[in-house]
Amino acid sequence: MISIVIFSGESYIRVWREDFGYDGPKNELDDLEKRIDSKKMKVINKAIQTMINATEKCDFSNETETGKRIARSVLSGFKNCVVPIFNSFESDYLKFFDNWVNSSRKCDYIDEYKQLNVHGIANNEEIKWLIYPKCREENTHVTLGVGRNIHAERKLKKHQPDTKFYAVDPMIKENYDLVTNQLNGSFFAFALANETKPQTFFVLLDDGKKRRFYAPRRVPTLDVAFFFEKILILKRIDTMFIDIEGGENYFLDYFKKGGRFDQIGLTICQFNFEFHNGRGASHEDKIHELFRQTIQDERYIFMRASHHTRGFWKIYFLNIENKECVKKFIG
């Protein structure tokens, strides 16, 4: 299959290679990537709600042996299955970007991951992955890139009504109402980047006839670290969804050990990240570097990579290092 991508007046042609296939076991949520089974979701949702209602108040004064054991086991499974596949691409970041979803699929079903209870919440066009808390306290969720779609956030709110929602999107239309009225959350009308100034981002627009499309627009941006440290003033984020149409390029290195998030004292327990191609070769190179650094740091594991549309893919990251994250979400 040939894909032609236009960016900044330049075009390039890439042959999409799917060198790796996957025909392994499926779990009960796997088919939701293509089709929503409402009856099955009702059963799953009821089980999740029962589990959450039974949790006790969080006590972070000590760790549990169970949580530490599971975290070690999960990291071992990750290193044995995922890391060799990543290393097989060596420094070929384009091949990595084009083939990671299919090549890593088999690792989503290793025995070590079965201890994590990863669940999917269906958006109207994709699945967001997360682990529900094992103990009870106020939860914090952040969405970067609302895109006029909060189906997943609404389901998260249903299961966790004690969640505080924060959302960022440079386009006010619909997004402000969705976040403030339906989630009772806080909405911020700008994009996030590595500095505060007007910049060009791809944003969701419509033609007035209910047809929506993405196009580049000049929008106000705010420095990512400044936003989290000085505006939200958060020390820990429990769940985060990131889908900002290539804008992630500005802060991919913030997640590494010693990066900007560490410098401002911010911990992120779990997040869904959508990556985009066609932002120039250096963009995919930075994505490859994020994964290389993540493997080296041993702070996060990543799993559940899946295509949204051709050239876009999303993946779930879980913090297995931070003591509070481990106790709250692993055990």
Side-chain angles (χ1 to χ4, degrees):
M1 182 174 183
I2 305 293
S3 177
I4 301 179
V5 182
I6 308 296
F7 180 70
S8 297
E10 299 178 358
S11 66
Y12 68 91
I13 299 177
R14 178 183 300 177
V15 178
W16 293 101
R17 301 177 302 275
E18 296 191 355
D19 298 338
F20 302 87
Y22 179 66
D23 191 27
K26 306 283 187 178
N27 79 349
E28 61 185 357
L29 287 170
D30 202 45
D31 292 338
L32 289 176
E33 293 290 356
K34 296 181 179 179
R35 180 176 60 86
I36 303 300
D37 186 331
S38 59
K39 291 183 179 180
K40 185 179 294 184
M41 284 304 300
K42 286 180 180 179
V43 174
I44 295 171
N45 288 341
K46 184 177 180 180
I48 291 171
Q49 199 62 61
T50 299
M51 176 190 71
I52 292 173
N53 291 342
T55 59
E56 298 180 354
K57 188 175 181 180
C58 293
D59 176 9
F60 297 119
S61 61
N62 56 73
E63 299 177 83
T64 65
E65 289 301 319
T66 299
K68 291 192 292 184
R69 175 185 57 79
I70 294 175
R72 288 194 299 267
S73 174
V74 165
L75 178 60
S76 176
F78 174 80
K79 292 167 71 173
N80 290 334
C81 188
V82 177
V83 175
I85 296 173
F86 179 84
N87 291 339
S88 71
F89 293 106
E90 297 180 343
S91 59
D92 191 340
Y93 55 85
L94 290 179
K95 186 175 182 180
F96 161 76
F97 188 90
D98 292 352
N99 293 283
W100 183 253
V101 172
N102 285 338
S103 64
S104 64
R105 189 65 166 168
K106 65 181 181 181
C107 295
D108 292 337
Y109 302 95
I110 60 177
D111 289 340
E112 292 86 348
Y113 288 0
K114 294 177 182 178
Q115 307 168 86
L116 292 177
N117 296 318
V118 180
H119 292 277
I121 49 178
N123 213 326
N124 63 343
E125 55 188 15
E126 60 183 351
I127 301 292
K128 305 289 189 183
W129 299 101
L130 55 81
I131 298 175
Y132 287 100
K134 303 294 190 297
C135 58
R136 182 167 32 85
E137 65 164 357
E138 184 178 73
N139 302 288
T140 302
H141 173 84
V142 176
T143 293
L144 306 184
V146 181
R148 306 183 186 183
N149 186 342
I150 59 164
H151 286 75
E153 287 87 345
R154 287 172 61 189
K155 291 175 181 177
L156 182 58
K157 181 178 176 64
K158 176 182 177 181
H159 291 312
Q160 297 178 175
D162 55 348
T163 299
K164 294 188 70 172
F165 288 88
Y166 303 92
V168 178
D169 197 293
M171 309 308 290
I172 298 175
K173 186 177 181 180
E174 291 188 45
N175 293 321
Y176 174 83
D177 179 67
L178 289 172
V179 173
T180 58
N181 293 331
Q182 296 194 34
L183 298 178
N184 194 29
S186 301
F187 176 76
F188 301 89
F190 44 72
L192 293 177
N194 57 345
E195 52 187 329
T196 301
K197 67 177 186 179
Q199 298 187 63
T200 299
F201 271 69
F202 279 81
V203 297
L204 184 61
L205 304 172
D206 64 65
D207 61 1
K209 300 179 181 179
K210 296 185 178 181
R211 289 194 294 255
R212 297 179 177 181
F213 58 94
Y214 283 93
R217 288 292 185 273
R218 197 79 167 162
V219 298
T221 66
L222 190 68
D223 174 73
V224 176
F226 180 88
F227 171 69
F228 284 112
E229 182 183 22
K230 303 298 184 181
I231 297 180
L232 292 192
I233 317 177
L234 297 175
K235 292 301 181 182
R236 189 184 78 222
I237 296 173
D238 294 309
T239 53
M240 184 158 66
F241 300 158
I242 308 172
D243 181 5
I244 50 178
E245 307 309 317
E248 68 271 8
N249 184 54
Y250 291 106
F251 57 95
L252 289 176
D253 60 345
Y254 285 23
F255 294 90
K256 69 181 182 181
K257 284 189 176 180
R260 288 291 298 279
F261 288 147
D262 275 3
Q263 293 169 20
I264 66 173
L266 175 63
T267 295
I268 304 172
C269 289
Q270 50 183 335
F271 55 100
N272 287 259
F273 216 144
E274 181 166 302
F275 296 108
H276 307 75
N277 76 334
R279 278 24 178 197
S282 63
H283 179 68
E284 281 129 326
D285 190 11
K286 289 182 179 179
I287 294 173
H288 180 273
E289 174 60 21
L290 168 67
F291 281 75
R292 188 201 65 78
Q293 187 70 51
T294 299
I295 289 171
Q296 177 179 309
D297 290 343
E298 297 186 356
R299 167 177 292 168
Y300 300 104
I301 61 165
F302 43 83
M303 67 177 83
R304 297 284 177 168
S306 61
H307 286 296
H308 182 184
T309 59
R310 181 68 67 172
F312 299 173
W313 51 271
K314 54 190 175 62
I315 193 166
Y316 167 68
F317 286 76
L318 173 66
N319 191 322
I320 58 169
E321 177 190 61
N322 179 269
K323 293 179 181 179
E324 290 187 359
C325 294
V326 169
K327 186 160 189 179
K328 185 170 182 177
F329 296 103
I330 296 180

